[in-house]
Amino acid sequence: MSSLPNPLPDAEAQCRQLADLIRPQLSKNPALVGIYSGGAWVAERLKELLGLSEDIGLIDVSFYRDDFSEKGLHPQCRPTVIPFDVEGRHIILVDDVLYTGRTTRAAINELFDYGRPAVVELAVLADRGGRELPVAATYGIWDVPLGDGQNLVLERNDGAQLAWRLEHV
């Protein structure tokens, strides 16, 4: 069993902390790309907090997963939307939880279908360890070791507020 704080940290406060970490990079004109669904929510929040005018990109990695044949298509598959030119751009890929690194790898593969960015950085609210690929977050807020059978889930309520929930699987 892990030793998680009770209650879980405030995800909205974590978004503000993440924005503070990214703010020094704004002179490089970064573009935010959120990974559905939790990463998309965090990217939307970062856009607001950083006062960015450019629309964020949204990526659904379903077709790029290396375990697609095992898992099949996610029932809530959404279209990828990249409303800016990726070529030569400073991209900040945003996700809620970093775990094995496979989702990040899939997102980078898809991103390169849109062009070759100058830089790709990763911003996450939570890093739960358990890496299977050599992937690390450039910007991270919370290192959280979870026990077997535990998942950290980011949820968004009707008021668009973000909150963590611990799920036992």
Side-chain angles (χ1 to χ4, degrees):
M1 200 60 133
S2 66
S3 56
L4 288 174
N6 188 11
L8 294 174
D10 180 343
E12 291 292 335
Q14 289 178 319
C15 285
R16 291 188 295 275
Q17 291 174 299
L18 195 56
D20 289 343
L21 292 176
I22 293 170
R23 193 166 280 110
Q25 301 303 315
L26 293 183
S27 63
K28 297 177 182 175
N29 191 29
L32 299 178
V33 177
I35 301 172
Y36 281 117
S37 61
W41 299 334
V42 174
E44 288 170 359
R45 184 69 80 239
L46 290 172
K47 177 187 176 200
E48 294 169 15
L49 292 167
L50 295 168
L52 302 177
S53 58
E54 183 176 46
D55 287 338
I56 63 170
L58 301 169
I59 284 186
D60 186 323
V61 300
S62 298
F63 294 112
Y64 287 78
R65 298 249 346 163
D66 59 2
D67 56 359
F68 179 78
S69 61
E70 296 169 25
K71 289 188 173 186
L73 188 59
H74 190 276
Q76 298 169 347
C77 188
R78 298 170 189 99
T80 290
V81 177
I82 306 289
F84 46 80
D85 189 11
V86 169
E87 191 68 33
R89 193 72 189 268
H90 180 160
I91 304 290
I92 299 177
L93 194 59
V94 182
D95 207 358
D96 52 352
V97 179
L98 176 58
Y99 183 27
T100 64
R102 294 185 181 280
T103 298
T104 303
R105 183 211 48 86
I108 291 170
N109 284 355
E110 184 167 0
L111 194 58
F112 270 77
D113 283 351
Y114 289 84
R116 185 178 187 277
V119 174
V120 178
E121 296 179 313
L122 179 62
V124 299
L125 290 185
D127 183 341
R128 63 168 291 177
R131 218 71 77 238
E132 296 174 2
L133 298 173
V135 172
T138 311
Y139 311 101
I141 299 303
W142 183 28
D143 289 329
V144 54
L146 296 180
D148 290 339
Q150 292 182 316
N151 278 334
L152 197 56
V153 179
L154 188 66
E155 297 179 320
R156 185 167 70 171
N157 67 21
D158 293 338
Q161 296 296 303
L162 301 176
W164 290 113
R165 175 175 55 85
L166 185 62
E167 181 178 86
H168 298 277
V169 291

